[in-house]
Amino acid sequence: MNRPRVLIVGGGFAGLACARRLERTLAPHEARITLATPTDYQLYLPLLPHVASGVLTPQSVAVSLRRRLRRTRVLPGRAVGVDPDAKVCVIRRIDDETVDEPYDVVVLTPGSVTRTFDIPGLTEHAHGVKTLAEAAHLRDHVIAQLDLADATEDPAERAARLGFVVVGGGYAGTETAAALQRLTAAAARRYRRVDPRQIRWHVVDLAPRLMPELGDRLGDRALRALRRRGIEVSLGVSVAKAGPDRVTLTDGRELPCRTLVWTAGVAASPLVATLGAETVKGRLAVTDRLTLPGHDGVFALGDAAAVPDLAKGDGAVCPPTAQHAQRQGVVAADNVAAHLRGRPLRPYRHKDLGLVVDLGGHEAVANPLGLPLTGLPAQAVARGYHLLALPTGVARTRTVTNWLLNAAAGDDYVRTGFQHHCPATLQDFEQTTTYLGRDEIRARTAVRPGGPGGPAHG
């Protein structure tokens, strides 16, 4: 008997939640489940600033897929194209071989990439904080700037080495700036020729407020907390040009800078464009059942899909957050099972539980269930939320141990050096140029052995 082939694209919050639920919902004879993902772990993105600052080790936020999955086949590769008519997904494996993966049902959870703009020098000089490799590289880079600033005799070079600019006043940018500023402030005590007062951190955002989703009160508290620590915050401006040793802002200011961190929002994975389907601000337009209209057996969710937010109504779509992605994965799995069994699908509905922003040390802001908190209570809620959201007891144990060890013993501020000679642009880390065009995909699927929609494998 041929089993229906269920292909899940992406191993993030949504993809892993979907795969685990399918394993529990569908019997082995009901479907063959495949998960296509370029990494063999689920990345807990909210704690990447802690990795970049060295508070957590990479293993704390990278949870092994094989520890979590029992009978799902893991295909190590990135989906670079989908032909929903032929029911084929094109996968570029981690060995760079391109293969065609046929399916009967596909669940698209390819996530998002860093959103960039046509700014001179941006892609050549900016660092991202979207992947584990980027976070590890950024830590090495920041410590290297302190090493080089301590070694140079040139005051201009020292000023540029000790100038750090973070673009993006959202959660990622604010937490990254806060975490790395603590790193450089503490590390500066170990450098005989680096004056801590020379270290300049600057957060830049085009929006008029810092983290407007938190509301005026909490946003202002976060702003004051950053400025108390010497972090300059410029709102209503952005980057006009990026160079190797300075950043030019749209208001004409030039900031000496050898470290430009770009966290100005995210965009849906380029995989979305390969389907030729309707989109909403770049995300696939799906129904509240997480199905793609006009395409049988195609589900989409997470950051790459504009899922209607039934809890808010008025045409709102769910924000690209971990709590929505994880819960959408569960509903998508239930709907895939219902689709295969010929049963009705259920809508996705979830009321946002609130947001937490960890500013390091004793500082944080949070609004759990709409309750505004600051200081230690907010920090307790933030870290408690992260511990509950981490998917395994091993990950929680590692995280708590790292937090306690860092609080008690501090850091040694060493560079690993394993990525010193590797390309380090946003495109290099996120591989945004590897996706195929629609004509390329159709050319592949038209000549695929067995033709479009070939027989299912047993």
Side-chain angles (χ1 to χ4, degrees), residues 80-310:
V80 295
V82 180
D83 187 340
D85 297 323
K87 292 200 169 186
V88 172
C89 185
V90 184
I91 308 291
R92 183 159 292 150
R93 299 192 322 190
I94 58 175
D95 60 359
D96 284 335
E97 181 179 349
T98 302
V99 299
D100 297 337
E101 184 69 21
Y103 62 83
D104 297 296
V105 175
V106 66
V107 182
L108 300 174
T109 70
S112 58
V113 296
T114 302
R115 181 180 60 187
T116 58
F117 302 96
D118 189 18
I119 298 173
L122 176 63
T123 57
E124 294 88 353
H125 301 293
H127 301 265
V129 199
K130 192 76 170 63
T131 68
L132 195 59
E134 283 177 311
H137 176 84
L138 181 58
R139 172 178 164 80
D140 269 16
H141 173 82
V142 168
I143 296 174
Q145 302 317 299
L146 297 177
D147 289 341
L148 292 167
D150 186 71
T152 188
E153 302 292 341
D154 184 351
E157 180 186 350
R158 180 177 288 115
R161 297 285 183 194
L162 299 179
F164 304 89
V165 177
V166 178
V167 182
Y171 307 107
T174 301
E175 289 191 331
T176 298
L180 289 175
Q181 184 273 334
R182 284 176 57 84
L183 166 70
T184 56
R189 295 193 294 268
R190 311 275 181 93
Y191 292 86
R192 192 168 50 87
R193 303 177 65 199
V194 171
D195 185 344
R197 292 171 296 182
Q198 293 179 303
I199 301 175
R200 305 292 296 272
W201 279 91
H202 208 124
V203 174
V204 176
D205 196 288
L206 197 56
R209 303 194 68 85
L210 193 70
M211 294 183 292
E213 298 89 342
L214 279 174
D216 293 350
R217 177 186 170 190
L218 291 181
D220 288 343
R221 286 294 297 265
L223 179 62
R224 290 197 296 272
L226 295 183
R227 286 176 170 165
R228 275 199 308 270
R229 284 157 53 176
I231 300 175
E232 298 179 54
V233 180
S234 294
L235 300 174
V237 298
S238 188
V239 172
K241 182 172 64 175
D245 60 359
R246 67 189 56 252
V247 168
T248 304
L249 302 184
T250 52
D251 61 5
R253 283 180 293 166
E254 286 192 350
L255 305 178
C257 169
R258 293 269 185 154
T259 306
L260 172 62
V261 184
W262 185 265
T263 65
V266 297
S269 165
L271 183 68
V272 166
T274 70
L275 280 84
E278 182 184 351
T279 60
V280 176
K281 294 184 178 179
R283 302 164 72 186
L284 287 170
V286 299
T287 69
D288 58 11
R289 268 71 176 171
L290 309 178
T291 58
L292 189 63
H295 298 285
D296 180 57
V298 179
F299 296 79
L301 49 148
D303 292 5
V307 179
D309 192 340
L310 300 182

